Amino acid sequence: QVQLAESGGGSVQAGGSLKLSCTMTNDPHNSACMAWFRQAPGKEREKVAHINNVGEPTYAASVAGRFTLSKNSKLLTAYLEMNNLKPDDTAMYYCAARFWSCSAPFNYWGQGTQVTVSS
């Protein structure tokens, strides 16, 4: 069973930065695809970005150019660096993971970490 632990959420003013971390407990074949999703009150969950097992990130259009997703495979940790934050980025952010394909539904989820951006 895989568990995910997130950290790094908080409150920041518009234009500021935050860095989220997500560590998974095991990845026996170095095959994990890791992703960040977010959900704001009254809105549908949105995939923010994912990074495949060879470290190639893909971003939603809403965050491209502002967010950077990276991964340290030895530490089993993915990092989401968020810059130039906007009030619309306010949401609960969830880390997710699955093995091999990034295209299928994610099996493992973290508890979430709140990001609040004030204007």
Side-chain angles (χ1 to χ4, degrees):
Q1 184 69 12
V2 174
Q3 293 183 327
L4 302 175
E6 302 133 327
S7 63
S11 296
V12 67
Q13 289 190 327
S17 299
L18 285 172
K19 187 174 183 178
L20 307 182
S21 299
C22 174
T23 300
M24 59 190 302
T25 52
N26 56 294
D27 181 9
H29 304 291
N30 193 28
S31 64
C33 174
M34 299 180 75
W36 284 95
F37 289 77
R38 67 185 181 186
Q39 189 166 21
K43 294 187 177 180
E44 292 190 356
R45 186 174 63 192
E46 171 191 22
K47 186 163 76 171
V48 173
H50 71 251
I51 188 164
N52 64 15
N53 62 317
V54 295
E56 298 166 332
T58 301
Y59 301 96
S62 57
V63 306
R66 299 188 298 122
F67 290 13
T68 302
L69 181 58
S70 60
K71 182 176 156 184
N72 185 321
S73 296
K74 290 185 179 179
L75 298 179
L76 304 183
T77 300
Y79 305 95
L80 183 68
E81 186 166 358
M82 306 183 293
N83 297 314
N84 191 21
L85 282 160
K86 304 175 181 180
D88 283 350
D89 295 317
T90 295
M92 185 69 79
Y93 283 69
Y94 297 92
C95 179
R98 62 162 290 112
F99 295 120
W100 302 114
S101 172
C102 290
S103 301
F106 285 79
N107 310 90
Y108 308 105
W109 293 84
Q111 295 296 310
T113 184
Q114 178 68 37
V115 171
T116 302
V117 184
S118 58
S119 57

